[in-house]
Amino acid sequence: MTENGFPKGFLWGGAVAAHQLEGAWQEGGKGVSIADVMTAGSNGVERKITDGVVAGENYPNHEAIDFYHRYKDDIKLFAEMGFKSFRTSIAWTRIFPNGDDQKANEAGLSFYDDLFDECLKYGIEPVVTLSHFEMPFHLVKEYNGFANRKTIDFYLRFAKTVFKRYKNKVRYWMTFNEIDNQSDFNNQFLMATNSGILLTDPESNERNMYQAAHYELVASALAVKEGKKINPDFKIGAMINYTPIYPASSDPADILLAQKAAQKRNWFSDVQAWGEYPKAIESYIERKGFRPDITAEDRVVLKEGTVDYIGFSYYQSATVSAKKNDADNISDPAEVIVKNPDLKESQWGWPIDPSGLRLGLNTLTDRYHLPLFIVENGLGAKDDLTDDKKIHDQYRIDYLKAHLQAVKKAIELDGVDLIGYTSWGCIDLVSAGTGQMSKRYGFIYVDKNDDGSGSLNRYKKDSFYWYQKVIQTNGAEL
Ligand code: BG6
């Protein structure tokens, strides 16, 4: 049943990740996560990952926006906008501070009990990511993250603990945030946040990625299997960073390259949805002689633990050119990306492409025949707080409106089955990629600057009222 294009009961809402807003990095028995050792970068300057917490460095996630102490007020604002859902993650290190602990930390568990209760009080459905760039740093240092098979067990212990604890409060889960980011295997930030691997030798980065990704996919499938035993009504999804890949021209060399580059990103969710590796990747791994540890038992697990839906983020498309490398020789899709002259870019250089979202909704539907959930979408932009404490962010409204119009067409004209839409960073938070506060996504402004100064006061932006109307009319008024 659709109403104004959007289905009845559509899960309108917002999305965040624990490490980007909670702060309180040492409270309630929390351990150090990979996000706690990432310094602040800036536009075009990467964040450093330090060897533990080093005195004198600026770690923006340590305080973030102090959601840990202010969540009641913030959720009240989400309720005022009319949210039907709120996507967050459970910080792994609040529950298992080191990752390999035998016993869960009760203070961490009760924090999320209270947080979910607060959401439910307003009829807001929590949507939870198990692992969103928050691996315990101890697992990174001592086990080399998911490069080690043992990490599957640590992850599963964490998953089962929270599934059991919140089985009556949370229905929608996702196993790993943007599991496909690591296709860009030479990027230290992406490898560390996805798999907990600190890159050491460029020669082995790709091989290590295929191994770690396999262990993560097994962990994901086991989590789905175990979760269903705990509550058969759970909906457990994949979560990918969906980036359509366009050929730079109509030259068949570019078109083939675009397909090959897409295969290097898509296979993660192929395994999660189909329970098996796509042929192109099996053959690639063999050709490269990687020989990852993939057992016959693993293959059974992958088949038994397929996901219920595909959650995805959408920010931008990518365009590739065979002038940079050809289809037979690329290994990392990021190496062949070129600028798309037909698209404007955000202040951080991300191409703005609403049609790419409709394309994605269609492609994923055709490929997986599963319900979809847009769990991130938004514009990172600088905002100005006026003297009378207003933020006139029409540029953000324009961005979101254009993307939601594309979504509406995908539902109305293309028949896409969409569960919901949670806009990214519904309240300003620390950027994952740059560690900046000034790269803002929120409907709610948080008075905090890149250097850590600011009152942490919250102010409603113009987009707050716009989104409130969108939800109120179930998308009739965009
Ligand atoms: C996604 C992540 O990649 O994009 C989020 O799941 C992240 O954690 C978001 O914050 C936006 O990226 P950035 O780098 O602008 O924060």
Side-chain angles (χ1 to χ4, degrees):
M1 267 294 286
T2 63
E3 207 182 60
N4 311 318
F6 291 89
K8 255 194 157 156
F10 189 72
L11 290 180
W12 293 102
V16 300
H19 71 283
Q20 289 174 259
L21 87 168
E22 284 178 6
W25 71 291
Q26 285 181 304
E27 284 184 55
K30 182 182 169 299
V32 176
S33 80
I34 184 74
D36 292 321
V37 299
M38 292 187 325
T39 62
S42 59
N43 197 347
V45 178
E46 286 188 1
R47 303 179 75 172
K48 274 188 306 194
I49 298 176
T50 55
D51 190 11
V53 175
V54 176
E57 292 282 5
N58 175 11
Y59 298 104
N61 300 61
H62 285 188
E63 182 190 52
I65 62 159
D66 195 33
F67 182 75
Y68 187 80
H69 296 111
R70 298 164 192 247
Y71 67 89
K72 289 196 176 160
D73 291 339
D74 292 339
I75 290 168
K76 198 169 173 199
L77 289 169
F78 300 155
E80 193 183 327
M81 267 187 282
F83 278 21
K84 312 288 179 219
S85 66
F86 174 56
R87 174 186 175 227
T88 190
S89 59
I90 295 178
W92 190 341
T93 51
R94 287 204 190 280
I95 313 301
F96 290 99
N98 298 299
D100 58 358
D101 322 66
Q102 291 297 324
K103 215 173 145 287
N105 172 33
E106 179 54 34
L109 287 167
S110 70
F111 169 70
Y112 290 105
D113 262 322
D114 294 347
L115 174 63
F116 299 146
D117 286 344
E118 197 64 22
C119 292
L120 295 168
K121 177 172 126 186
Y122 295 105
I124 297 175
E125 172 134 24
V127 174
V128 174
T129 320
L130 290 172
S131 177
H132 191 139
F133 306 170
E134 287 148 347
M135 182 179 280
F137 191 57
H138 175 73
L139 295 186
V140 176
K141 287 289 286 182
E142 297 303 317
Y143 298 87
N144 203 12
F146 269 102
N148 191 330
R149 192 179 264 277
K150 284 189 193 142
T151 301
I152 298 177
D153 295 336
F154 303 137
Y155 172 87
L156 204 62
R157 190 181 301 160
F158 165 55
K160 280 162 68 176
T161 303
V162 297
F163 283 156
K164 281 187 197 147
R165 179 77 171 217
Y166 309 118
K167 68 174 186 199
N168 297 321
K169 299 186 182 182
V170 178
R171 200 156 58 105
Y172 286 97
W173 300 87
M174 280 166 278
T175 54
F176 287 93
N177 186 63
E178 295 185 337
I179 194 166
D180 56 331
N181 275 354
Q182 55 197 310
S183 56
D184 192 357
F185 52 80
N186 283 316
N187 181 309
Q188 176 62 90
F189 170 79
L190 296 177
M191 287 309 293
T193 50
N194 257 250
S195 312
I197 294 182
L198 300 176
L199 300 180
T200 44
D201 168 19
E203 292 302 308
S204 51
N205 289 350
E206 190 179 16
R207 179 195 299 266
N208 291 343
M209 182 276 283
Y210 278 101
Q211 183 62 74
H214 174 69
Y215 290 150
E216 279 181 72
L217 290 164
V218 171
S220 171
L222 285 168
V224 173
K225 272 182 68 176
E226 294 301 322
K228 292 303 179 90
K229 285 188 208 154
I230 293 164
N231 183 348
D233 291 334
F234 277 171
K235 301 283 177 212
I236 309 177
M239 196 306 192
I240 55 167
N241 176 345
Y242 184 75
T243 307
I245 301 185
Y246 303 153
S249 75
S250 54
D251 179 345
D254 282 342
I255 294 171
L256 186 65
L257 175 70
Q259 185 191 49
K260 286 284 152 196
Q263 285 173 340
K264 298 254 161 25
R265 279 202 81 98
N266 292 340
W267 68 272
F268 301 85
S269 44
D270 290 349
V271 176
Q272 289 177 299
W274 300 339
E276 59 186 50
Y277 277 73
K279 283 266 181 292
I281 292 300
E282 294 266 21
S283 130
Y284 179 75
I285 295 174
E286 203 182 309
R287 177 154 64 86
K288 297 283 266 192
F290 288 158
R291 300 183 190 288
D293 165 35
I294 302 178
T295 65
E297 201 188 335
D298 290 346
R299 292 194 190 267
V300 174
V301 167
L302 294 178
K303 261 286 181 241
E304 290 172 347
T306 55
V307 291
D308 297 314
Y309 68 96
I310 305 289
F312 69 100
S313 62
Y314 177 75
Y315 293 93
Q316 55 186 319
S317 53
T319 302
V320 296
S321 166
K323 291 197 180 99
K324 294 193 104 181
N325 203 345
D326 65 62
D328 291 339
N329 290 313
I330 55 146
S331 46
D332 175 354
E335 69 181 90
V336 282
I337 293 179
V338 293
K339 209 175 163 70
N340 185 329
D342 293 313
L343 298 175
K344 291 208 177 100
E345 293 183 345
S346 75
Q347 290 159 329
W348 273 261
W350 292 16
I352 298 175
D353 179 13
S355 296
L357 179 51
R358 181 168 172 201
L359 193 105
L361 288 162
N362 277 270
T363 305
L364 294 171
T365 298
D366 291 350
R367 197 172 181 90
Y368 300 127
H369 301 183
L370 285 174
L372 305 178
F373 198 156
I374 301 171
V375 292
E376 288 186 30
N377 174 233
L379 177 71
K382 289 193 179 126
D383 286 333
D384 289 320
L385 184 66
T386 61
D387 291 342
D388 58 347
K389 310 293 182 210
K390 301 265 189 299
I391 302 92
H392 302 301
D393 57 341
Q394 187 58 42
Y395 38 90
R396 183 168 294 109
I397 297 174
D398 293 343
Y399 177 100
L400 293 170
K401 187 191 277 192
H403 284 76
L404 282 172
Q405 275 162 346
V407 172
K408 199 170 185 175
K409 283 192 181 169
I411 297 173
E412 276 180 347
L413 307 181
D414 308 327
V416 162
D417 180 5
L418 189 64
I419 300 168
Y421 174 91
T422 56
S423 145
W424 175 251
C426 45
I427 181 165
D428 291 346
L429 38 62
V430 176
S431 154
T434 69
Q436 292 171 292
M437 272 306 299
S438 55
K439 190 178 187 191
R440 296 174 183 275
Y441 288 87
F443 302 114
I444 300 162
Y445 183 92
V446 177
D447 179 24
K448 182 161 182 188
N449 305 309
D450 288 345
D451 63 4
S453 63
S455 65
L456 289 171
N457 285 346
R458 276 60 167 157
Y459 302 102
K460 297 171 197 172
K461 304 184 191 178
D462 288 356
S463 56
F464 180 102
Y465 302 101
W466 169 80
Y467 197 47
Q468 187 180 51
K469 199 51 165 281
V470 170
I471 300 178
Q472 227 171 53
T473 62
N474 197 30
E477 271 187 50
L478 288 179

